[in-house]
Every structure is written in structure tokens, then in C-alpha cells.
Amino acid sequence: MKPKITFLSIAVAASLLSAAHTANAAGFQLAEYSATGLGRAYAGEAAIADNASAQWRNPAMLTYLPGTQVSLGAIYVNPNVDVNGTVDGSTSKNPTLPTSNAASSDFADDAIIPNVYLSHKYSDQVAVGFALGTNYGMETNLGNDFAAAHFGNQASVTTMEANLNAAYQLNQQWSVGGGLRYVMGEGSFGAKTPENNIIGQSISAPKGTVLKYMEGDDTAWGWQVGTAWQINQDHRIGFSYKSEVQLKLEGYATGFGFDSSLSNGNRDNGTMDLALPATAELASFHQLTEKLAIHSSINWTDWSSFEKLEAQLDTFGSQMVKVENWQDNYRVAFGATYQLEPKLTLRTGIAYDTSAVSDKNRTITIPETDRTWLSFGASYAFSKQFTLDGGLTYILAKDAPITESRGYASDDTAQDVGGQFVGETKGNIWLIGIQASYRF
């Protein structure tokens, strides 16, 4: 592993996980697709059709939506994520570097996640839909004063996705659906020198000097399929699958960590592959009484496909950026819906997300850990056509240890510059959503 690639690697990694804390699902995945589902911790989504947003999680649910429906909404994400630890300068190439505290509070930025959905029941069997939202995104900034900035200090990933979906009701029990996904993505990743550093045999660089910075964008296609089994009038099971989408972020790289010729704002063009992993959901819905329904979901994300990051630079060719070695993530959710009165519906839910990384592979800028969701929500039908939904969720992230270097060559090279980091991450997230739906 060449030293000039190490810092970009960690910054890239940073961008990827902060999504977990901005988006609140595993890795850099976004779960927040509707305020309706937010109120039940997204339990049973592939088997429930409240409004046009249902197609986002299972296109087969379009067959359950009468007439033409429109849903517009947004979710405000307020992550409070901290990293605290120490950097042991004696473990760098210069054993005289001091030990220093390394802390960054509330470093994952707030975000507003918008969405737009349209559905139309074309006939008794055929329905079509359009969806505009996002499955992945984040923005984070650990700050120039962060004592472990040599492991990455800023990153962002932004995606927007448009779906065209269609569904067909085979008979009274079975419906199937599918759709095309067009994904637009962009990202930026950076790392800087901390105050105590060594970049040569006996020299250091001013604090905040850019080691690595890279940004790029790309568009790509994906697909999704789903099915629904109406066991009887009160019980339903749904299943959906979204394909992996491969983005090739094309842009530029700068910073003397790549090469001395890229100092002072000079650039080299390049690309970085970024895989948005495949996902699947198995969900159930059960109407126990006239007023009470319960629902559940099991979700899987193929994060084990995310093994490494590799840069393709025009001048410096193919370079290993960072070893990731993530693992598959699972999510279990349970919820309930209660029809308090004809116009007012109440929801609640609880969910548990497993981490997409082991303790060994957790990093400062990717403090990925297990999360517990507690959710509440309500819908009010102002008329047969117009409904307003709201949801509130509190997510508690499990405290988890972090050590860098993790023993990989890319980490070791970063450690040579500023020393080893040992610490932990802790945090919580608030989600507030609102959504308006209209049926024509």
C-alpha cells in the first residue's frame, strides 16, 4: 500500500459510514422513505399499502391502491454522534510526537430527506407508479482541529433516485410488481494533517494541510421486484428485492498525499467505484381486530460485497484505497396500528439494526454500530381524499470501541503520520417526518 493513497482511503470510508448516522440505517443506507412508515419504525413495509409511497419498498403493493394517488413528504434527521479517544504520537514514524486527545462532537450533519410518489390504478389488475427519493446519503465533518484527521476529516455522499414501477394482480391472492431505478450520485472525501504529524523523515506540515481530497459523480441503473400474498382478508405477506447499483464516481483528486505535484490546488482526474448493495425484505401484516393491526419486517442488506475501495487515477493508475471487509446487515422490526376513530390512526414500532462492521473494522469516520429504534406516528384523514401523516423516532446507537490502525496496510501508513487512535463512539438520532397524501 503506497502512503500517497492512504489518506484518501480513510476519507472515502468516512463518507460511507456517516450515512449510517445521518440516514440511520446500516452503512450509508437511508431507511427514511416516508413519514407514514416512520411512525411504525418501518415494520411491515413490504406488506402495507397506506398510500403511493408503498411502491418504494414493494412495487407489488401498487395493486392495493385505488384510483390515482399522490404523496409528498420530508423527514428531518438530527444525528448526535460523538467520537472520543486519544492519539498516541509515539506510534508514528516520529516516536517523540506527544499523546493528544482526539474528540469530535455532533459531527454528522443534519439533513432533510424529501420524497414524491404517484400511483395510478390503470385497471382491476394493472397499476403503475412513479417514485422520487433516495436510498443512500450523508454528510459529515470532523473538523480541522480533530487530532486524528489523518484518518479522514470530511466526506459526503448524495444520491437521488427515480423509479418507474408497474404491478399486476394475478388473482385474489397474488400480486407481483417490478420497476426500473435510475440513480444519480455524487461524493466528496478528504483528509488533512493534524497538529502533531510527520510527513517525512523529520518534517511536519501545518495543521489542516490537505493530504487527500477527491470528488466525483455518476449515474447508473438498477431494478427492483416484489410480490404480495393475500392469505385471507386479514393476513398478508410481502417480499421485495432491490438490485445492487454500481456507481463509478468520476471527478478529480488533489493534495500532496497523492503526489507532490498535486499540491497547491493542482489536480489529477480519476474515478472511484462505489457499490450501492442489494437489499431484501420479508414482511407481514395482520388485522387482529376491526381497530388493531400488527406488522413486522426482516430486512437484509448485502454489505459483505463491500470489501475494498480502489481508485483509478489518470496519472497514478489503479491504487488500493482502503480495505473494508464489511459484513451483511440485518434489521428486525415490529409495529402496531390502531384506528382510534374513523379519521385518526395511531402507529408505533420498535426495530433493531445490526452493525455492518465487526469491532475490528469499525473506524473513526465510520463509527458503525448496532441501533435500536423507538417510533410513534399518526394519520388524520381530513376527508376521503386528503390525509396528513406524521412520525417521530428516537434511535439509540450502541456505544462501541474504535482502534486505528486496524492492522491493514492503509491504516498503518496513516498511523505513521500521526499515531494510533484508540477510543469509542456513542450517539443518538431524532427523526421527524410529515407527509401529505391525496386521492383523486
Side-chain angles (χ1 to χ4, degrees), residues 84-89 99-103 147-148 404 419-424:
N84 294 281
T86 59
V87 175
D88 183 358
T99 296
S100 55
N101 293 326
E404 288 199 274
Q420 183 188 52
F421 172 86
V422 178
E424 70 171 3

Side-chain angles (χ1 to χ4, degrees), residues 54 73 159 166 384:
T159 67
K384 290 183 178 181

Side-chain angles (χ1 to χ4, degrees), residues 194-206:
E195 183 175 3
N196 302 313
N197 68 84
I198 178 170
I199 60 172
Q201 293 299 320
S202 59
I203 62 173
S204 62

Side-chain angles (χ1 to χ4, degrees), residues 249-321:
L249 303 178
E250 183 175 357
Y252 71 89
T254 187
F256 75 86
F258 280 109
D259 188 83
S260 59
S261 65
L262 296 181
S263 300
N264 301 318
N266 294 324
R267 300 178 176 183
D268 183 23
N269 293 330
T271 62
M272 175 78 70
D273 289 341
L274 179 62
L276 309 181
T279 65
E281 178 179 358
L282 178 64
S284 67
F285 174 85
H286 308 280
Q287 192 73 45
L288 299 183
T289 69
E290 184 178 348
K291 291 188 174 183
L292 177 65
I294 61 172
H295 23 84
S296 61
S297 289
I298 299 177
N299 297 79
W300 163 83
T301 303
D302 186 24
W303 283 121
S304 61
S305 62
F306 188 46
E307 297 177 353
K308 62 183 180 179
L309 292 167
E310 202 165 23
Q312 304 291 334
L313 303 180
D314 289 356
T315 302
F316 302 107
S318 179
Q319 301 284 352
M320 174 62 69
V321 173

Side-chain angles (χ1 to χ4, degrees), residues 173-228:
Q173 286 190 307
W174 290 95
S175 294
V176 296
L180 290 176
R181 304 165 54 206
Y182 181 68
V183 181
M184 300 156 280
E186 59 183 31
S188 65
F189 323 101
K192 296 182 178 181
T193 55
E195 183 175 3
N196 302 313
N197 68 84
I198 178 170
I199 60 172
Q201 293 299 320
S202 59
I203 62 173
S204 62
K207 182 181 72 173
T209 301
V210 175
L211 291 168
K212 298 282 183 174
Y213 180 81
M214 186 172 186
E215 68 176 45
D217 56 64
D218 189 26
T219 60
W221 290 91
W223 51 271
Q224 61 183 352
V225 294
T227 186

Side-chain angles (χ1 to χ4, degrees), residues 39-360:
R40 54 178 173 251
Y42 298 109
E45 298 309 289
I48 301 177
D50 302 291
N51 48 55
S53 66
Q55 64 186 293
W56 189 259
R57 294 290 281 265
N58 185 354
M61 302 312 297
L62 283 167
T63 61
Y64 288 81
L65 300 173
T68 299
Q69 301 191 26
V70 177
S71 287
L72 307 173
I75 295 176
Y76 170 67
V77 184
N78 175 228
N80 304 287
V81 183
D82 305 330
V83 170
N84 294 281
T86 59
V87 175
D88 183 358
S90 67
T91 60
S92 69
K93 279 189 175 181
N94 181 0
T96 66
L97 287 182
T99 296
S100 55
N101 293 326
S104 184
S105 301
D106 197 16
F107 67 86
D109 290 351
D110 295 4
I112 295 177
I113 305 172
N115 52 73
V116 179
Y117 305 101
L118 172 66
S119 68
H120 176 66
K121 194 71 175 291
Y122 186 77
S123 67
D124 290 341
Q125 288 78 37
V126 179
V128 294
F130 171 78
L132 188 63
T134 180
N135 278 310
Y136 303 92
M138 56 72 57
E139 185 172 2
T140 187
N141 193 336
L142 288 154
N144 291 337
D145 294 329
F146 186 53
H150 51 297
F151 288 110
N153 82 313
Q154 68 176 65
S156 68
V157 171
T158 303
T159 67
M160 181 60 69
E161 180 173 326
N163 294 174
L164 282 177
N165 301 306
Y168 185 79
Q169 184 175 359
L170 299 173
N171 51 46
Q172 292 298 314
Q173 286 190 307
W174 290 95
S175 294
V176 296
L180 290 176
R181 304 165 54 206
Y182 181 68
V183 181
M184 300 156 280
E186 59 183 31
S188 65
F189 323 101
K192 296 182 178 181
T193 55
E195 183 175 3
N196 302 313
N197 68 84
I198 178 170
I199 60 172
Q201 293 299 320
S202 59
I203 62 173
S204 62
K207 182 181 72 173
T209 301
V210 175
L211 291 168
K212 298 282 183 174
Y213 180 81
M214 186 172 186
E215 68 176 45
D217 56 64
D218 189 26
T219 60
W221 290 91
W223 51 271
Q224 61 183 352
V225 294
T227 186
W229 176 27
Q230 191 70 45
I231 302 172
N232 55 43
Q233 183 177 351
D234 298 323
H235 302 279
R236 181 165 61 244
I237 292 176
F239 175 79
S240 62
Y241 179 88
K242 293 180 183 287
S243 72
E244 179 178 285
V245 175
Q246 282 283 350
L247 291 175
K248 190 171 188 177
L249 303 178
E250 183 175 357
Y252 71 89
T254 187
F256 75 86
F258 280 109
D259 188 83
S260 59
S261 65
L262 296 181
S263 300
N264 301 318
N266 294 324
R267 300 178 176 183
D268 183 23
N269 293 330
T271 62
M272 175 78 70
D273 289 341
L274 179 62
L276 309 181
T279 65
E281 178 179 358
L282 178 64
S284 67
F285 174 85
H286 308 280
Q287 192 73 45
L288 299 183
T289 69
E290 184 178 348
K291 291 188 174 183
L292 177 65
I294 61 172
H295 23 84
S296 61
S297 289
I298 299 177
N299 297 79
W300 163 83
T301 303
D302 186 24
W303 283 121
S304 61
S305 62
F306 188 46
E307 297 177 353
K308 62 183 180 179
L309 292 167
E310 202 165 23
Q312 304 291 334
L313 303 180
D314 289 356
T315 302
F316 302 107
S318 179
Q319 301 284 352
M320 174 62 69
V321 173
K322 191 177 185 69
V323 176
E324 296 293 347
N325 287 332
W326 284 22
Q327 60 193 19
D328 287 358
N329 152 262
Y330 296 89
R331 184 179 195 273
V332 180
F334 299 93
T337 299
Y338 187 77
Q339 193 73 43
L340 184 63
E341 56 182 62
K343 291 188 175 184
L344 180 61
T345 304
L346 304 179
R347 300 183 182 90
T348 188
I350 185 171
Y352 189 79
D353 270 316
T354 64
S355 174
V357 298
S358 63
D359 284 349
K360 174 184 177 180

